[in-house]
Amino acid sequence: MAEAHTTSYYAATANQYAPFPRLAGEIDADVVVIGGGFTGVNSALELADRGFRVVLLEANRIGWGATGRNGGQITGSLSGDKAMAREFRRSLGAEAEDFVWNLRWRGHEIIRKRVSRFGIDCDLKPGHIQTACAPAHLPELRDMHLEAVRRGMGDEVEFVEQDRIGEIVASPIYLGGLLNRRNMHVHSLNLCLGEAQAAAGLGVRLFEDSRVLRIEEVPRPVVITAQGRVTADKVLLAGNAYHRLGKGQMRGALFPAALGIVATEPLSEDVARQINPQDLAVYDNRFVLDYHRLTADRRLIFGGGTNYSGRPSRDIAAELRPSIERTFPQLRGIGIEFGWSGLAGIIVNRIPHLGRVGPNIFYAEGYSGHGIATTHIVAEIMAEAISGTMREFDVFAGVRHMRLPLGTWAGQQAIALGMFYYRLKERFR
Ligand SMILES: Cc1cc2nc3c(=O)[nH]c(=O)nc-3n(C[C@H](O)[C@H](O)[C@H](O)COP(=O)(O)OP(=O)(O)OC[C@H]3O[C@@H](n4cnc5c(N)ncnc54)[C@H](O)[C@@H]3O)c2cc1C
């Protein structure tokens, strides 16, 4: 039985749509995509745009997973940017750094165009600042600023010194920041719902409440749900941290991390203007970071911390309230109306995990908490690969990923230990 969207701010303010049907009976397709989050929906859309007959199967509702639960920040960080530049040098040589730089902004362009082409109503707004919480964070942000200027983004970025940061974000904990007007924020669930409608308009057959139970591989793959079967030439696994269909080299590479996030009661216009007058998305520069932004109805959406058990916390609001009040003492006692959590797929080196298991079964997963822009890029890369243009797919698929042959539970404990080390190291920077 399908689960409804989690009780989040996003679900409470989602654009209404007629639910897609449950798969029943046997159908045939060129490609079957499993998972109705950003990866699956956008891959389906890209494939339909290229003329493929596509079926998308979602176990619950469109955007039910991390896609409908996240912080809504669209940033030029792909999480593992530095690791990518290092790894990609093996396949791309000296071109690797430029490739990664261009990749970092490609998702923004795809999202902007998609929203405008299909008229998607999703509160998409420009503006983001990455803040320093410790003096040691400043040099890294200055370097990022210099690189953006050197690469021609000078009119879109600004380094904000400590004496001005309070005018941009009225918090006592920030010592400066890198303001970026190309980055954006969005009502993530409404973006995905709009993209799903667009995909349907392009001929994709979408099914909700249609969990894939297993895949049979010969002679053409057959994807099996409780009441139906889809036979297709190609399969794309896009269930990210929520599916159990992975096999072979997929095993031991992705670890689900439960991230908690809240939305406050709506702030008055005065308070909203005082704490964040430019309506920016904000995240800080720590390894395990806090992030926040205002919604269209002036709630503060605030997320941070993480636990690597893969299980949600018992009381997310109580856990995040101290961080909210430390960031904005003027919000002490603010009502928290929504608290929810979602699973992000963490990869040890933070490079998205793309590949195939068998000749006809592709997978794309693992955006390490930075997936909104990245999923849109990856969807394009997967659609190209399934159409036969393998170059960018091969760059990702050629990455050497660390796999912890420990099973998910033990692997997660190892990751948690690693994160504890980084947090400790950060405390002494
Ligand atoms: C709390 C939180 C905050 C985040 N904040 C940000 C942010 O501010 N900015 C950013 O860039 N990224 C953020 N992320 C990451 C981002 O949300 C994800 O990287 C992205 O949404 C992943 O999309 P996806 O489609 O790959 O996976 P998901 O959205 O998780 O979708 C997977 C889907 O597959 C379905 N599924 C699973 N198994 C099956 C099956 N057997 N059959 C059929 N369907 C199945 C699930 O029901 C689910 O709907 C955040 C993540 C979380 C959890």
Side-chain angles (χ1 to χ4, degrees):
M1 186 66 185
E3 285 184 40
H5 287 120
T6 193
T7 50
S8 69
Y9 156 79
Y10 292 117
T13 54
N15 296 331
Q16 293 307 306
Y17 70 101
F20 294 103
R22 178 185 301 155
L23 177 71
E26 296 203 14
I27 55 177
D28 191 272
D30 296 328
V31 185
V32 55
V33 175
I34 302 172
F38 280 138
T39 303
V41 168
N42 285 288
S43 300
L45 192 157
E46 296 273 359
L47 286 160
D49 246 352
R50 288 163 177 75
F52 287 88
R53 294 177 308 134
V54 186
V55 167
L56 182 146
L57 302 175
E58 163 55 47
N60 300 295
R61 305 291 309 275
I62 294 296
W64 176 90
T67 293
R69 305 173 186 228
N70 61 49
Q73 307 207 4
I74 302 171
T75 69
S77 163
L78 307 168
S79 193
D81 313 11
K82 286 189 185 138
M84 269 184 217
R86 252 193 332 269
E87 273 287 328
F88 292 175
R89 231 169 267 145
R90 288 189 305 120
S91 51
L92 296 176
E95 211 196 300
E97 304 247 327
D98 289 350
F99 178 81
V100 173
W101 175 261
N102 293 328
L103 211 58
R104 286 177 55 191
W105 310 106
R106 186 158 134 195
H108 297 57
E109 199 51 31
I110 297 171
I111 293 170
R112 237 185 272 115
K113 282 194 180 146
R114 196 146 290 160
V115 166
S116 126
R117 173 178 170 199
F118 297 105
I120 299 173
D121 175 14
C122 59
D123 307 330
L124 183 67
K125 291 180 190 160
H128 177 267
I129 187 162
Q130 185 167 356
T131 54
C133 294
H137 296 164
L138 289 165
E140 194 182 340
L141 291 177
R142 282 186 209 283
D143 286 350
M144 287 163 65
H145 177 239
L146 289 177
E147 184 181 19
V149 172
R150 183 169 61 78
R151 288 187 178 263
M153 266 178 73
D155 53 347
E156 292 174 289
V157 292
E158 183 188 339
F159 190 84
V160 181
E161 299 287 351
Q162 187 164 8
D163 58 349
R164 278 197 53 237
I165 188 75
E167 296 164 23
I168 312 268
V169 192
S171 166
I173 67 169
Y174 299 141
L175 307 179
L178 177 58
L179 202 157
N180 182 315
R181 298 194 191 286
R182 191 180 294 188
N183 288 337
M184 301 181 283
H185 53 109
V186 72
H187 188 305
S188 184
L189 179 56
N190 278 342
L191 174 59
C192 188
L193 293 176
E195 291 170 333
Q197 296 297 333
L202 293 171
V204 175
R205 287 172 287 170
L206 296 102
F207 296 91
E208 293 178 310
D209 192 5
S210 302
R211 176 176 300 281
V212 173
L213 304 173
R214 61 177 204 281
I215 304 171
E216 286 171 2
E217 280 181 61
V218 281
R220 282 172 88 212
V222 184
V223 168
I224 296 161
T225 67
Q227 293 177 9
R229 299 158 69 88
V230 186
T231 305
D233 297 330
K234 300 272 191 306
V235 179
L236 172 60
L237 301 177
N240 205 6
Y242 283 98
H243 78 108
R244 299 276 176 274
L245 298 166
K247 55 177 201 159
Q249 69 200 39
M250 290 181 78
R251 293 230 171 93
L254 179 143
F255 298 92
L259 311 186
I261 179 164
V262 297
T264 66
E265 62 189 312
L267 309 181
S268 72
E269 268 181 45
D270 281 352
V271 171
R273 201 175 313 117
Q274 193 249 330
I275 65 169
N276 186 352
Q278 299 190 26
D279 200 1
L280 302 172
V282 183
Y283 64 55
D284 65 54
N285 207 29
R286 287 173 295 180
F287 193 74
V288 178
L289 46 84
D290 283 347
Y291 51 96
H292 54 88
R293 68 184 186 91
L294 295 172
T295 60
D297 60 355
R298 295 191 309 274
R299 296 168 192 276
L300 181 75
I301 285 206
F302 193 103
T306 187
N307 79 65
Y308 289 85
S309 67
R311 281 187 301 276
S313 309
R314 284 208 188 88
D315 189 346
I316 294 159
E319 241 170 56
L320 286 174
R321 181 179 287 285
S323 301
I324 295 176
E325 296 184 350
R326 210 176 311 119
T327 309
F328 294 118
Q330 54 280 56
L331 298 186
R332 186 153 296 137
I334 187 83
I336 294 179
E337 291 192 351
F338 299 96
W340 67 97
S341 75
L343 293 182
I346 306 292
I347 303 289
V348 173
N349 63 10
R350 299 198 165 216
I351 302 178
H353 188 216
L354 273 51
R356 17 181 175 187
V357 279
N360 298 318
I361 302 180
F362 292 74
Y363 62 85
E365 61 179 17
Y367 311 102
S368 305
H370 293 245
I372 304 181
T374 320
T375 47
H376 286 76
I377 304 164
V378 162
E380 203 173 73
I381 294 174
M382 297 312 293
E384 282 297 295
I386 290 169
S387 314
T389 305
M390 308 302 289
R391 182 176 172 268
E392 294 186 326
F393 171 82
D394 284 345
V395 170
F396 277 92
V399 169
R400 295 164 299 192
H401 283 283
M402 188 194 283
R403 290 184 178 77
L404 299 176
L406 301 167
T408 304
W409 183 85
Q412 245 151 348
Q413 308 314 307
I415 299 259
L417 203 65
M419 297 303 286
F420 177 69
Y421 165 77
Y422 277 112
R423 277 180 142 165
L424 207 63
K425 208 171 131 190
E426 196 155 70
R427 192 161 282 186
F428 296 105
R429 291 218 262 173

